[in-house]
Amino acid sequence: MKPRGRFISLEGPDGSGKSTVIRGLQKALQERGVDVITTREPGGSPIAEQIREVILNVNNTAMDGRTEALLYAASRRQHLVETIIPTLDKGQWVLSDRFVDSSLAYQGVARQIPQEEVWTINQFAIEGQLPDLTLLLDVPAEVGLERIQKARGQRQYDRLDRESLNFHQKVRQAFLDLAAENDRIVLIDANMTYDAVIERCLEVIAERLN
Ligand SMILES: Nc1ncnc2c1ncn2[C@@H]1O[C@H](COP(=O)(O)OP(=O)(O)O)[C@@H](O)[C@H]1O
Ligand SMILES: [Mg+2]
C-alpha cells in the first residue's frame, strides 16, 4: 500500500502569489515523482464550490459576519471530507490554495470576530486535521496590492486607497502572528522573483517533509 500523501497549504494575503506558486510547485513536485493535486478554498469540492458561490456573491450584502465564518468553515469541512482526505488516503499529495489559517487571519480583521471563536468553529470542522506544512507567502502590503492592481490592468500605487492598504497590512500581521505561534507554518519571503520563491518553497518542503 502507498504511504499516505502529504497535505500542504499555501497562505498569505491577496497578491502574495499563492495561485501562481501553487501551479509551479505542482509541476516541480511532479518532476520529482510526487503524485500531487492542487485545490483551493473556499471550494475544492462540488458542494464546497456551491458554498463558495454564496460567500462570494456580491448581491449577498446582508451576509452576517458570523454566518460568513460558519460558511467558510462548512466549505472547509466538505472540502476536507470530499477531496482532501480521500486524496491523501490514495497516497497523493494535496496542495491547497488557502486553508484554516485564512479564516483565522481574515475573519478577525474583516469582521472583528475574536480569533479563538473562529478557531472553535474550525476545530469542529476539521477535527484536528491540519496541514502537514503551511507555506506562508509574505509580501509587504504595497507589493501585494501593486501586483493585484497590475494584474487587473489598473494604474498602481497612487490609486491605492488608505483603507485597502491598512486592511492588507492587518491581514499580513495576522498571518505573521500565526506563523510565530505555529511551528507548522513556515514564512516564505515572497517578495522575490517567481523562480526564487518556488526554489525556497521546494527547499522547505524537502526539509520538513522528507
Ligand atoms: N514572485 C512574483 N513576482 C512578481 N509578480 C508575481 C510573483 N508571483 C505572482 N506574481 C503576480 O502577482 C499577481 C497575483 O498573484 P496570484 O498568484 O494571483 O496571488 P494570490 O493567489 O496570492 O492572490 C499575478 O498577476 C501574478 O502573476
Ligand atoms: Mg489566488
Side-chain angles (χ1 to χ4, degrees):
M1 214 179 76
K2 267 177 140 183
R4 197 159 195 267
R6 297 307 191 101
F7 175 21
I8 302 171
S9 62
L10 272 82
E11 296 281 7
D14 282 326
S16 57
K18 299 177 298 299
S19 302
T20 312
V21 165
I22 204 168
R23 290 192 294 271
L25 278 182
Q26 183 184 32
K27 190 162 169 279
L29 288 170
Q30 282 169 342
E31 283 164 8
R32 287 160 176 73
V34 178
D35 192 359
V36 54
I37 70 147
T38 65
T39 183
R40 67 152 184 200
E41 290 205 346
S45 84
I47 293 170
E49 289 287 334
Q50 291 175 58
I51 300 171
R52 177 192 175 94
E53 284 174 27
V54 176
I55 297 171
L56 301 183
N57 185 337
V58 291
N59 297 319
N60 286 341
T61 51
M63 177 82 70
D64 171 75
R66 284 172 186 261
T67 306
E68 185 186 74
L70 288 163
L71 287 174
Y72 275 113
S75 158
R76 177 161 304 126
R77 171 72 188 170
Q78 194 62 29
H79 180 214
L80 186 70
V81 169
E82 215 178 344
T83 303
I84 297 175
I85 291 171
T87 304
L88 296 173
D89 284 345
K90 278 189 279 179
Q92 293 178 304
W93 290 30
V94 174
L95 296 176
S96 184
D97 189 337
R98 296 192 183 282
F99 196 63
V100 67
D101 302 300
S102 280
S103 283
L104 298 172
Y106 279 91
Q107 300 312 303
V109 177
R111 300 293 202 163
Q112 283 85 48
I113 304 174
Q115 202 174 80
E116 311 80 58
E117 297 185 32
V118 181
W119 178 230
T120 299
I121 59 169
N122 275 280
Q123 276 179 297
F124 176 76
I126 67 177
E127 296 184 287
Q129 297 178 87
L130 286 163
D132 296 302
L133 171 66
T134 296
L135 301 169
L136 172 57
L137 303 189
D138 181 55
V139 289
E142 295 82 355
V143 173
L145 285 168
E146 200 180 359
R147 285 183 186 171
I148 297 165
Q149 299 223 332
K150 217 177 192 170
R152 287 183 192 145
Q154 289 173 11
R155 207 148 52 88
Q156 301 150 45
Y157 242 46
D158 47 342
R159 284 273 315 267
L160 303 181
D161 55 292
R162 208 170 288 141
E163 204 179 317
S164 63
L165 192 60
N166 184 39
F167 180 81
H168 211 276
Q169 265 157 354
K170 284 186 184 161
V171 170
R172 181 195 188 195
Q173 190 55 51
F175 274 124
L176 290 174
D177 292 345
L178 286 169
E181 291 157 14
N182 292 282
D183 188 50
R184 162 180 62 85
I185 306 175
V186 178
L187 193 66
I188 305 285
D189 177 4
N191 191 18
M192 304 189 288
T193 64
Y194 167 77
D195 286 341
V197 176
I198 296 279
E199 194 182 324
R200 180 66 195 133
C201 288
L202 289 170
E203 266 172 30
V204 170
I205 290 168
E207 280 165 19
R208 289 295 191 107
L209 299 185
N210 285 352

PDB file of all heavy atoms in Angstrom, residues 183-202:
ATOM      1  N   ASP A 183       4.590  26.113  14.690  1.00  0.00           N
ATOM      2  CA  ASP A 183       5.746  25.531  14.031  1.00  0.00           C
ATOM      3  C   ASP A 183       5.391  24.965  12.643  1.00  0.00           C
ATOM      4  O   ASP A 183       6.228  24.876  11.757  1.00  0.00           O
ATOM      5  CB  ASP A 183       6.314  24.414  14.922  1.00  0.00           C
ATOM      6  CG  ASP A 183       7.639  23.904  14.391  1.00  0.00           C
ATOM      7  OD1 ASP A 183       8.516  24.736  14.108  1.00  0.00           O
ATOM      8  OD2 ASP A 183       7.771  22.677  14.221  1.00  0.00           O
ATOM      9  N   ARG A 184       4.122  24.601  12.479  1.00  0.00           N
ATOM     10  CA  ARG A 184       3.638  24.082  11.194  1.00  0.00           C
ATOM     11  C   ARG A 184       3.768  25.098  10.058  1.00  0.00           C
ATOM     12  O   ARG A 184       3.893  24.736   8.887  1.00  0.00           O
ATOM     13  CB  ARG A 184       2.151  23.699  11.367  1.00  0.00           C
ATOM     14  CG  ARG A 184       1.342  23.548  10.100  1.00  0.00           C
ATOM     15  CD  ARG A 184      -0.098  23.183  10.411  1.00  0.00           C
ATOM     16  NE  ARG A 184      -0.823  24.180  11.193  1.00  0.00           N
ATOM     17  CZ  ARG A 184      -1.439  25.247  10.683  1.00  0.00           C
ATOM     18  NH1 ARG A 184      -1.409  25.477   9.394  1.00  0.00           N
ATOM     19  NH2 ARG A 184      -2.063  26.095  11.476  1.00  0.00           N
ATOM     20  N   ILE A 185       3.720  26.384  10.404  1.00  0.00           N
ATOM     21  CA  ILE A 185       3.695  27.445   9.389  1.00  0.00           C
ATOM     22  C   ILE A 185       5.103  27.979   9.155  1.00  0.00           C
ATOM     23  O   ILE A 185       5.773  28.420  10.086  1.00  0.00           O
ATOM     24  CB  ILE A 185       2.775  28.604   9.832  1.00  0.00           C
ATOM     25  CG1 ILE A 185       1.367  28.078  10.177  1.00  0.00           C
ATOM     26  CG2 ILE A 185       2.717  29.681   8.748  1.00  0.00           C
ATOM     27  CD1 ILE A 185       0.436  29.149  10.749  1.00  0.00           C
ATOM     28  N   VAL A 186       5.560  27.930   7.911  1.00  0.00           N
ATOM     29  CA  VAL A 186       6.898  28.433   7.577  1.00  0.00           C
ATOM     30  C   VAL A 186       6.765  29.687   6.718  1.00  0.00           C
ATOM     31  O   VAL A 186       6.060  29.701   5.710  1.00  0.00           O
ATOM     32  CB  VAL A 186       7.731  27.365   6.831  1.00  0.00           C
ATOM     33  CG1 VAL A 186       9.106  27.919   6.458  1.00  0.00           C
ATOM     34  CG2 VAL A 186       7.886  26.108   7.694  1.00  0.00           C
ATOM     35  N   LEU A 187       7.441  30.718   7.161  1.00  0.00           N
ATOM     36  CA  LEU A 187       7.400  32.000   6.467  1.00  0.00           C
ATOM     37  C   LEU A 187       8.281  31.949   5.216  1.00  0.00           C
ATOM     38  O   LEU A 187       9.441  31.547   5.292  1.00  0.00           O
ATOM     39  CB  LEU A 187       7.928  33.057   7.442  1.00  0.00           C
ATOM     40  CG  LEU A 187       7.717  34.518   7.098  1.00  0.00           C
ATOM     41  CD1 LEU A 187       6.233  34.850   7.130  1.00  0.00           C
ATOM     42  CD2 LEU A 187       8.476  35.376   8.114  1.00  0.00           C
ATOM     43  N   ILE A 188       7.704  32.341   4.095  1.00  0.00           N
ATOM     44  CA  ILE A 188       8.460  32.402   2.846  1.00  0.00           C
ATOM     45  C   ILE A 188       8.486  33.857   2.382  1.00  0.00           C
ATOM     46  O   ILE A 188       7.422  34.479   2.251  1.00  0.00           O
ATOM     47  CB  ILE A 188       7.761  31.567   1.731  1.00  0.00           C
ATOM     48  CG1 ILE A 188       7.522  30.115   2.157  1.00  0.00           C
ATOM     49  CG2 ILE A 188       8.533  31.663   0.407  1.00  0.00           C
ATOM     50  CD1 ILE A 188       8.726  29.228   2.179  1.00  0.00           C
ATOM     51  N   ASP A 189       9.663  34.389   2.140  1.00  0.00           N
ATOM     52  CA  ASP A 189       9.737  35.746   1.596  1.00  0.00           C
ATOM     53  C   ASP A 189       9.297  35.673   0.133  1.00  0.00           C
ATOM     54  O   ASP A 189      10.010  35.149  -0.711  1.00  0.00           O
ATOM     55  CB  ASP A 189      11.174  36.272   1.708  1.00  0.00           C
ATOM     56  CG  ASP A 189      11.307  37.654   1.088  1.00  0.00           C
ATOM     57  OD1 ASP A 189      10.294  38.240   0.642  1.00  0.00           O
ATOM     58  OD2 ASP A 189      12.459  38.162   1.046  1.00  0.00           O
ATOM     59  N   ALA A 190       8.094  36.182  -0.131  1.00  0.00           N
ATOM     60  CA  ALA A 190       7.538  36.081  -1.491  1.00  0.00           C
ATOM     61  C   ALA A 190       7.778  37.357  -2.293  1.00  0.00           C
ATOM     62  O   ALA A 190       7.278  37.504  -3.408  1.00  0.00           O
ATOM     63  CB  ALA A 190       6.047  35.754  -1.430  1.00  0.00           C
ATOM     64  N   ASN A 191       8.561  38.271  -1.717  1.00  0.00           N
ATOM     65  CA  ASN A 191       8.919  39.484  -2.451  1.00  0.00           C
ATOM     66  C   ASN A 191      10.222  39.233  -3.199  1.00  0.00           C
ATOM     67  O   ASN A 191      11.183  39.989  -3.105  1.00  0.00           O
ATOM     68  CB  ASN A 191       9.058  40.656  -1.466  1.00  0.00           C
ATOM     69  CG  ASN A 191       9.172  41.979  -2.175  1.00  0.00           C
ATOM     70  OD1 ASN A 191       8.817  42.095  -3.350  1.00  0.00           O
ATOM     71  ND2 ASN A 191       9.666  42.987  -1.467  1.00  0.00           N
ATOM     72  N   MET A 192      10.238  38.110  -3.903  1.00  0.00           N
ATOM     73  CA  MET A 192      11.404  37.708  -4.692  1.00  0.00           C
ATOM     74  C   MET A 192      10.859  37.310  -6.066  1.00  0.00           C
ATOM     75  O   MET A 192       9.654  37.278  -6.269  1.00  0.00           O
ATOM     76  CB  MET A 192      12.101  36.487  -4.067  1.00  0.00           C
ATOM     77  CG  MET A 192      12.520  36.670  -2.630  1.00  0.00           C
ATOM     78  SD  MET A 192      13.571  35.299  -2.059  1.00  0.00           S
ATOM     79  CE  MET A 192      12.422  33.952  -1.925  1.00  0.00           C
ATOM     80  N   THR A 193      11.768  36.953  -6.972  1.00  0.00           N
ATOM     81  CA  THR A 193      11.287  36.500  -8.272  1.00  0.00           C
ATOM     82  C   THR A 193      10.497  35.204  -8.076  1.00  0.00           C
ATOM     83  O   THR A 193      10.699  34.486  -7.098  1.00  0.00           O
ATOM     84  CB  THR A 193      12.448  36.191  -9.235  1.00  0.00           C
ATOM     85  OG1 THR A 193      13.190  35.093  -8.694  1.00  0.00           O
ATOM     86  CG2 THR A 193      13.329  37.409  -9.440  1.00  0.00           C
ATOM     87  N   TYR A 194       9.626  34.952  -9.030  1.00  0.00           N
ATOM     88  CA  TYR A 194       8.830  33.725  -9.025  1.00  0.00           C
ATOM     89  C   TYR A 194       9.726  32.489  -8.849  1.00  0.00           C
ATOM     90  O   TYR A 194       9.457  31.634  -8.005  1.00  0.00           O
ATOM     91  CB  TYR A 194       8.030  33.671 -10.328  1.00  0.00           C
ATOM     92  CG  TYR A 194       7.399  32.357 -10.635  1.00  0.00           C
ATOM     93  CD1 TYR A 194       6.238  31.966  -9.983  1.00  0.00           C
ATOM     94  CD2 TYR A 194       7.957  31.516 -11.595  1.00  0.00           C
ATOM     95  CE1 TYR A 194       5.648  30.746 -10.269  1.00  0.00           C
ATOM     96  CE2 TYR A 194       7.377  30.305 -11.890  1.00  0.00           C
ATOM     97  CZ  TYR A 194       6.230  29.920 -11.227  1.00  0.00           C
ATOM     98  OH  TYR A 194       5.666  28.713 -11.510  1.00  0.00           O
ATOM     99  N   ASP A 195      10.821  32.416  -9.621  1.00  0.00           N
ATOM    100  CA  ASP A 195      11.715  31.253  -9.540  1.00  0.00           C
ATOM    101  C   ASP A 195      12.320  31.090  -8.151  1.00  0.00           C
ATOM    102  O   ASP A 195      12.449  29.974  -7.646  1.00  0.00           O
ATOM    103  CB  ASP A 195      12.851  31.376 -10.579  1.00  0.00           C
ATOM    104  CG  ASP A 195      12.356  31.116 -12.001  1.00  0.00           C
ATOM    105  OD1 ASP A 195      11.278  30.518 -12.140  1.00  0.00           O
ATOM    106  OD2 ASP A 195      13.051  31.525 -12.950  1.00  0.00           O
ATOM    107  N   ALA A 196      12.696  32.214  -7.561  1.00  0.00           N
ATOM    108  CA  ALA A 196      13.317  32.163  -6.229  1.00  0.00           C
ATOM    109  C   ALA A 196      12.299  31.703  -5.180  1.00  0.00           C
ATOM    110  O   ALA A 196      12.650  30.962  -4.258  1.00  0.00           O
ATOM    111  CB  ALA A 196      13.881  33.533  -5.858  1.00  0.00           C
ATOM    112  N   VAL A 197      11.049  32.131  -5.333  1.00  0.00           N
ATOM    113  CA  VAL A 197      10.008  31.723  -4.381  1.00  0.00           C
ATOM    114  C   VAL A 197       9.775  30.207  -4.483  1.00  0.00           C
ATOM    115  O   VAL A 197       9.725  29.508  -3.474  1.00  0.00           O
ATOM    116  CB  VAL A 197       8.680  32.496  -4.619  1.00  0.00           C
ATOM    117  CG1 VAL A 197       7.584  31.979  -3.696  1.00  0.00           C
ATOM    118  CG2 VAL A 197       8.883  33.993  -4.418  1.00  0.00           C
ATOM    119  N   ILE A 198       9.674  29.714  -5.717  1.00  0.00           N
ATOM    120  CA  ILE A 198       9.466  28.272  -5.919  1.00  0.00           C
ATOM    121  C   ILE A 198      10.627  27.478  -5.309  1.00  0.00           C
ATOM    122  O   ILE A 198      10.419  26.489  -4.603  1.00  0.00           O
ATOM    123  CB  ILE A 198       9.366  27.939  -7.437  1.00  0.00           C
ATOM    124  CG1 ILE A 198       8.142  28.599  -8.059  1.00  0.00           C
ATOM    125  CG2 ILE A 198       9.375  26.428  -7.688  1.00  0.00           C
ATOM    126  CD1 ILE A 198       6.837  27.879  -7.842  1.00  0.00           C
ATOM    127  N   GLU A 199      11.835  27.936  -5.580  1.00  0.00           N
ATOM    128  CA  GLU A 199      13.021  27.233  -5.087  1.00  0.00           C
ATOM    129  C   GLU A 199      13.010  27.162  -3.559  1.00  0.00           C
ATOM    130  O   GLU A 199      13.276  26.115  -2.968  1.00  0.00           O
ATOM    131  CB  GLU A 199      14.281  27.971  -5.585  1.00  0.00           C
ATOM    132  CG  GLU A 199      15.546  27.173  -5.431  1.00  0.00           C
ATOM    133  CD  GLU A 199      16.764  27.974  -5.895  1.00  0.00           C
ATOM    134  OE1 GLU A 199      16.634  28.745  -6.877  1.00  0.00           O
ATOM    135  OE2 GLU A 199      17.814  27.844  -5.256  1.00  0.00           O
ATOM    136  N   ARG A 200      12.676  28.293  -2.928  1.00  0.00           N
ATOM    137  CA  ARG A 200      12.630  28.337  -1.460  1.00  0.00           C
ATOM    138  C   ARG A 200      11.534  27.389  -0.925  1.00  0.00           C
ATOM    139  O   ARG A 200      11.747  26.667   0.043  1.00  0.00           O
ATOM    140  CB  ARG A 200      12.388  29.775  -0.996  1.00  0.00           C
ATOM    141  CG  ARG A 200      12.332  29.949   0.498  1.00  0.00           C
ATOM    142  CD  ARG A 200      13.691  29.648   1.165  1.00  0.00           C
ATOM    143  NE  ARG A 200      13.520  29.489   2.594  1.00  0.00           N
ATOM    144  CZ  ARG A 200      14.040  28.506   3.336  1.00  0.00           C
ATOM    145  NH1 ARG A 200      14.794  27.576   2.769  1.00  0.00           N
ATOM    146  NH2 ARG A 200      13.829  28.450   4.621  1.00  0.00           N
ATOM    147  N   CYS A 201      10.374  27.393  -1.581  1.00  0.00           N
ATOM    148  CA  CYS A 201       9.282  26.509  -1.148  1.00  0.00           C
ATOM    149  C   CYS A 201       9.714  25.044  -1.243  1.00  0.00           C
ATOM    150  O   CYS A 201       9.446  24.252  -0.332  1.00  0.00           O
ATOM    151  CB  CYS A 201       8.030  26.729  -1.998  1.00  0.00           C
ATOM    152  SG  CYS A 201       7.185  28.284  -1.681  1.00  0.00           S
ATOM    153  N   LEU A 202      10.396  24.695  -2.328  1.00  0.00           N
ATOM    154  CA  LEU A 202      10.843  23.308  -2.508  1.00  0.00           C
ATOM    155  C   LEU A 202      11.862  22.914  -1.443  1.00  0.00           C
ATOM    156  O   LEU A 202      11.842  21.791  -0.933  1.00  0.00           O
ATOM    157  CB  LEU A 202      11.433  23.117  -3.909  1.00  0.00           C
ATOM    158  CG  LEU A 202      10.413  23.148  -5.062  1.00  0.00           C
ATOM    159  CD1 LEU A 202      11.134  23.187  -6.410  1.00  0.00           C
ATOM    160  CD2 LEU A 202       9.470  21.941  -4.997  1.00  0.00           C
TER     161      LEU A 202
END
